[in-house]
Amino acid sequence: MPPSSPSAKFLDELIELLSSMRFAISLLTLLAIASVVGMVIPQNEPPNVYLNRFGQLWDPVFSALGLYSVYSTAWFIAILAFLVLSTTLCIIRQFSPLLREIRSFREHAREASLRGFALSASLAPTLPPEARCQAVTSYLSREGFRLRVNQREGSTLVAAKKGHWGHIGYFLAHGAIVLICLGGLLDGNLLLSMQIHLAGKVPTSGNQLISQIPPSAWLDTRTKGGFRGNVSIPQGQSRDFAVIASGDGILLQRLPFHIELKHFNVEYYANGMPKRYTSDVLITDKETGEKFEPTIEVNKPFKHRGIALYQSAFDDAGSVLHMTMHHFWVGDHPDSQPINAEVGGSIPLGPFSLEFTDFKPVNVESMGGQSKEDRSRNLLGSAAATTEFAKDMNSLGPSFSYRLRNSAGQTQEFINYMQPILFAGRKYLFSGTRSDPQTPFSFARIPLDEDDSASTWFAIRRIFFDPKRHGALVKSYLSSNKPNNEESAAAREGRKLFAENTLAAFTQDGWLGVTHLINTIIPEKKDNPSPEEADSREQMLEDTIILSETVLSALTQEAWKIAREAAGKSTSAMPNEMQELYIRDALAALNQTYFLPFYLQLDSFEHRQATVLQAARSPGKPLVYLGSLFLALGVFAMLYIRERRLFVLLKENEALVAVSSDRKSIDLDETFARHRDGLAAALGARPT
Amino acid sequence: MEQATPSPTFLSMPTHTNCLAKRNIGDWLFALAVIAGTGFAYHRLVHVMDGTDIAILILHALLLIAVGWLWRPFRLFSVTVAALALFSIWLYQGDLTRSIDKETLNGVVKGVFFLKYLLSSQSAISWMSAFIFMATGAYWIGLAARSSFAERTGSALTWWSAVMGTVGLCVRWHESWLLSPETAHIPISSLYEVMVFFCLVTALLYLFYENRYNTRKLGAFILPIISIAAVYMLWLAFNTTAYQIQPLTAPLRSYWMKIHVPANFIGYGGFTIAAMVGVAYLLVFGAETPSPQENRPPLGLRASLAGHLPEPRVLEDIMYKAIAIGFAFFTVATILGALWAAEAWGGYWSWDPKEVAALIVWLNYAVWLHMRLTRNLRGTTLAWWAFVGLFVSVFAFIGVNTFLGGLHSYGNVSGS
């Protein structure tokens, strides 16, 4: 070799390093560590999530390192690129040695080197010399070896080999890594970020109408890079772009075709789980005008012009809700009036706005639960016979959600079910509310009349919460709850006052208000009451609370009578024990923190859905799939095709058998022993 | 199930030079039985199968024949499983409630005895767990008392655990049909089901090596880990409603599941066996064993073990073979998963936590194999590595679903 210049030497060393096993393994380790980071830290969440989790100190550091989107950071892509480089160099370096290895029979191996093999044996053949070569070659061919015979001076060498094609596995498996990484880079965010940087594309915030989105956020159909974006299409409408999330904003990818949603359909299991969702769409090619009418569903995508459309999710697209609003507040308006709204729309309501957020046509919930004992017992027997599937499942019918937003922007969220729901043997209207979206709903159960209508309860609600009607209510309460013996005027006045005050406190603040009231009318006597005094006060408080409960029940009963009579429903139509339960439920529903000035009852609806498709173009996919095929074949070839080389040197009085393999393994000994004995039999010899 | 032909040499590896010529009458009868069974299944179920189902049925038959020919004890295993599963299905007579006691107007009707206590899915799976625990005990007694009888018992019990586990899953599949045709699915979709599958696959893989290397000593190391899996499975059953048959979510309704999941669990099974053989290796390696001439009892527990277990180089070979088979199948499983993801989620790779965990497991063993095959590394480093690899695999298998969520939400422990 001529002496090389320092720079050439440096290049050689660099290539040596890059193609070395050490370097490759370091890269794989780095890749694994980076992946662990990306796995443990949830990726691509909104920024404030990370700020909350990691705090002021670490959040900027992690953010700068790209730990929130590890897989698209420059350093991660650099690792992959180095892996491609290293593997490619490794393949190039191994190419000609391995090719030589595959081709060669090593039929010129020298006797001395054969004797030096760890696995070699000398046999003394009894077969006549001229028949020996024939015997050896036919044995080896029978055993599946390929062989070459080298006649040389004084001896014949039969060089045989098997499984040498296993080396192809090396090229397949390592080539596969290169292909998969290249394909992955093509499909990844690399091209997208190149467009952002080179073509001046700017992600937009997304809170805009489509027509207002600047051209800088649009990617036209000529760009051939990979992308994955969502296409949300309401029923009967058509879209021709996909929304790609990019950083904090979005980019819009124009599609070469229009997608019109003809029909969207969801099938449910008996337990309410969606079983399959399908979108019947009409696809119209923009250039040729060709039309396709595929049905897209999960696991059954549709492909056109290199863009695949997948069923991803579904959404409400402004279902129309026809409702009755039952007013509870006092004013110049009818008790109830019809209102209509669309999901996604809002209605102004004095200082509030009423925002309709969701509609669900089907709700199924498991109302029962199995005890642990049941479960243990069920462990014997069939799994299916003891499965809760479709048992204890209660179809709750349609539901809709809305928010009441005040002028300060604070919201209270509600969910109302359309149909009466059976709960513990009785039917109710269910309405849930919460002020914090993170907490579960707390539900009010509104009891129903014999005819499943809630109008009596609505009337009770109006009577209870109208201070002008309190006087009449209390009066009617006093007259129907006369004590048996004659009561004094003072006692009667006392009862009246207590009833009025309790009612006022309850309608103001529910049971909390009543408790507060009682605490104020039974004041603490001293700063330091004696234990006896404290006990007696406790007793008094308790008695008064029980009394207030009785009074409120009785007031509810009176309001119930008034409401029934006003509606022309006889009070005797309801059996006594049902009455009792009704009054209990009605009072409980009045007490809920359900201080809403109205109740929205859903009468009918027009369900409008949108399908959410995912549009993806992955130009790297053929490369990745080819690579995957190579990888599978290569791994099996490398691990399961074992190279065996067997040499038989035939001399005048001796046959030397030697075996070698590229990998030392324990079964090589066994292979050697078997062929040694096989050859000995073929040559009529015993091992010497 | 004790019909393994004793190998003449310690390591009798088959040669595949002329596959058909080496078939004996049992092989041909087995193949015939599999073909007949496949034909029967086709005849009975052709109206509910689509093209891919039929392709999978045929592939499955070919696979059964191949494994039966390559590993003869598997023939009797398959036939026993088929017989018991068919018997159970016959006992059901299309009525799920025959497996449990039920109250009717005329008093309590007892469940069919064989179904209730033996062959309904839950009972069969309970028997599988019981056999696993008993086998563990038997192997330990065998190791402690140097009793080959106890070891043979352990081996037979392991066979029976695999039989009952497989019967349990087959019957569970049938039960899911009886429950409702729309719920019906191959029982490898929930965490509970795959735990059962893991137990039986690992037991079968172990029995394969036991047979191939003609040593029953390693059962004492491998059965405990299967026992732990069985305990976890029972814990799931007792503490959650995971044992119930639930319908599949839309993305899981795919033929890919039928091949992706089994391939994955052959992978996990292989890695598990390698890890436990690694433990055996670490215990034995370097222990002072008396030479035969010394004629004295070995000193200390490790030396005593070393005198009893296969020699380290054999342990290392088993470890390599188990990782090789695990790695090969794990590679295929990950590729199949990518193909499935491309259809269901719109991308072959989404950097979902489960995918990343699979990548990490794959990288781990890829580096292990490079170290062994290219660097010719041997010894305790690789054994430790294989052992630690088990924790990586367990995390990928259970930990990711428990702690990180993501798209593979089927296996959520808290989910019911």
Side-chain angles (χ1 to χ4, degrees), chain A residues 187 310 379 381-382 666 674, chain B residues 15 92 122 175 248 317 342 348:
Chain A
D187 287 349
Y310 304 86
L379 283 179
S382 85
I666 200 162
R674 202 164 53 77
Chain B
T15 48
Y92 263 119
Q122 289 299 107
E175 286 169 358
L248 293 180
D317 196 61
Y348 50 81

Side-chain angles (χ1 to χ4, degrees), chain A residues 160-451:
Chain A
K161 63 179 179 180
K162 190 157 81 168
H164 47 290
W165 290 108
H167 290 301
I168 294 285
Y170 169 85
F171 293 114
L172 286 174
H174 290 79
I177 300 298
V178 175
L179 286 177
I180 291 172
C181 288
L182 285 179
L185 285 175
L186 268 183
D187 287 349
N189 283 347
L190 194 61
L191 292 182
L192 197 66
S193 32
M194 269 169 67
Q195 286 185 59
I196 291 174
H197 288 119
L198 301 179
K201 294 295 178 190
V202 188
T204 183
S205 78
N207 281 328
Q208 295 152 300
L209 292 173
I210 293 299
S211 55
Q212 291 171 347
I213 288 178
S216 62
W218 281 96
L219 306 172
D220 61 29
T221 50
R222 282 167 312 177
T223 52
K224 291 287 173 245
F227 72 86
R228 269 165 94 173
N230 282 336
V231 191
S232 173
I233 318 166
Q235 184 112 21
Q237 295 192 33
S238 174
R239 292 280 184 274
D240 73 332
F241 58 87
V243 179
I244 306 169
S246 171
D248 295 340
I250 56 163
L251 287 168
L252 298 178
Q253 168 74 51
R254 191 67 81 182
L255 300 175
F257 45 78
H258 289 278
I259 316 165
E260 185 189 336
L261 180 63
K262 292 291 208 189
H263 184 68
F264 180 75
N265 182 41
V266 189
E267 284 173 33
Y268 294 90
Y269 287 112
N271 71 351
M273 244 170 73
K275 181 182 172 191
R276 56 194 284 250
Y277 15 106
T278 54
S279 301
D280 295 325
V281 294
L282 172 67
I283 302 217
T284 313
D285 192 288
K286 282 181 184 170
E287 245 174 63
T288 62
E290 268 180 295
K291 287 185 192 301
F292 309 89
E293 285 196 61
T295 298
I296 300 174
E297 67 175 291
V298 179
N299 281 320
K300 284 176 191 159
F302 173 78
K303 293 183 189 73
H304 181 58
R305 284 196 183 262
I307 294 174
L309 297 170
Y310 304 86
Q311 183 67 55
S312 161
F314 56 94
D315 210 350
D316 195 279
S319 296
V320 181
L321 309 175
H322 303 288
M323 296 163 288
T324 306
M325 182 182 262
H326 297 278
H327 295 288
F328 299 147
W329 83 91
V330 188
D332 185 21
H333 52 73
D335 284 348
S336 57
Q337 69 187 97
I339 66 163
N340 298 319
E342 260 181 31
V343 172
S346 68
I347 297 176
L349 206 71
F352 298 103
S353 81
L354 194 56
E355 302 168 357
F356 292 86
T357 51
D358 198 13
F359 170 76
K360 273 188 185 169
V362 179
N363 289 283
V364 182
E365 258 160 50
S366 163
M367 304 297 277
Q370 273 187 317
S371 68
K372 212 166 179 171
E373 292 69 42
D374 276 346
R375 263 188 235 136
S376 327
R377 202 168 55 235
N378 288 340
L379 283 179
L380 288 185
S382 85
T386 53
T387 290
E388 271 177 31
F389 178 72
K391 269 193 250 165
D392 303 318
M393 286 297 172
N394 210 340
S395 173
L396 307 184
S399 70
F400 67 105
S401 317
Y402 57 97
R403 278 194 300 247
L404 194 64
R405 187 185 292 276
N406 68 12
S407 48
Q410 290 161 321
T411 58
Q412 179 77 10
E413 201 180 345
F414 296 88
I415 181 166
N416 286 9
Y417 287 85
M418 180 184 185
Q419 293 159 2
I421 292 165
L422 203 63
F423 181 85
R426 291 172 54 75
K427 279 184 180 173
Y428 303 93
L429 278 186
F430 269 71
S431 175
T433 184
R434 63 183 174 192
S435 48
D436 178 2
Q438 307 298 322
T439 58
F441 283 103
S442 58
F443 279 93
R445 299 197 306 266
I446 299 173
L448 301 176
D449 292 345
E450 316 81 272
D451 59 353

Side-chain angles (χ1 to χ4, degrees), chain A residues 462-656:
Chain A
R462 276 190 288 270
I463 297 169
F464 247 66
F465 287 79
D466 183 354
K468 284 184 200 138
R469 299 174 76 172
H470 281 184
L473 184 61
V474 171
K475 201 173 158 200
S476 134
Y477 151 74
L478 289 174
S479 60
S480 39
N481 290 276
K482 280 193 188 118
N484 296 335
N485 50 341
E486 204 58 38
E487 81 179 326
S488 68
R492 186 183 160 81
E493 187 59 27
R495 283 211 297 137
K496 181 176 170 234
L497 208 61
F498 183 73
E500 276 172 0
N501 285 339
T502 309
L503 183 57
F506 181 78
T507 51
Q508 262 211 343
D509 230 352
W511 285 113
L512 211 65
V514 176
T515 321
H516 186 70
L517 171 77
I518 294 171
N519 265 316
T520 50
I521 58 177
I522 307 175
E524 290 182 65
K525 293 258 169 57
K526 285 185 234 159
D527 288 341
N528 296 306
S530 68
E532 292 78 29
E533 280 170 327
D535 278 355
S536 85
R537 179 168 184 273
E538 280 298 309
Q539 189 59 48
M540 265 174 85
L541 283 178
E542 226 167 82
D543 292 347
T544 320
I545 284 173
I546 291 169
L547 180 67
S548 68
E549 280 168 15
T550 320
V551 168
L552 280 172
S553 272
L555 285 168
T556 314
Q557 172 112 15
E558 289 312 309
W560 177 75
K561 276 185 207 155
I562 296 169
R564 294 276 292 200
E565 271 154 25
K569 288 179 180 172
S570 131
T571 48
S572 54
M574 201 182 248
N576 268 346
E577 66 274 17
M578 296 306 280
Q579 262 185 49
E580 258 171 52
L581 291 172
Y582 183 93
I583 299 303
R584 182 202 69 192
D585 291 338
L587 184 58
L590 288 171
N591 170 55
Q592 298 287 343
T593 44
Y594 199 84
F595 286 113
L596 178 69
F598 54 84
Y599 181 84
L600 285 177
Q601 190 166 19
L602 183 62
D603 301 317
S604 65
F605 57 84
E606 292 153 42
H607 192 203
R608 287 185 191 158
Q609 293 184 101
T611 184
V612 181
L613 301 178
Q614 186 170 87
R617 179 166 49 209
S618 31
K621 200 157 128 178
L623 280 183
V624 172
Y625 281 16
L626 186 67
S628 299
L629 179 69
F630 285 0
L631 183 64
L633 293 175
V635 164
F636 272 94
M638 282 179 81
L639 294 175
Y640 288 105
I641 302 181
R642 281 184 288 255
E643 190 207 36
R644 297 274 181 269
R645 286 183 184 274
L646 198 149
F647 301 91
V648 185
L649 184 67
L650 295 168
K651 296 177 75 177
E652 192 154 2
N653 297 315
E654 189 195 10
L656 180 68

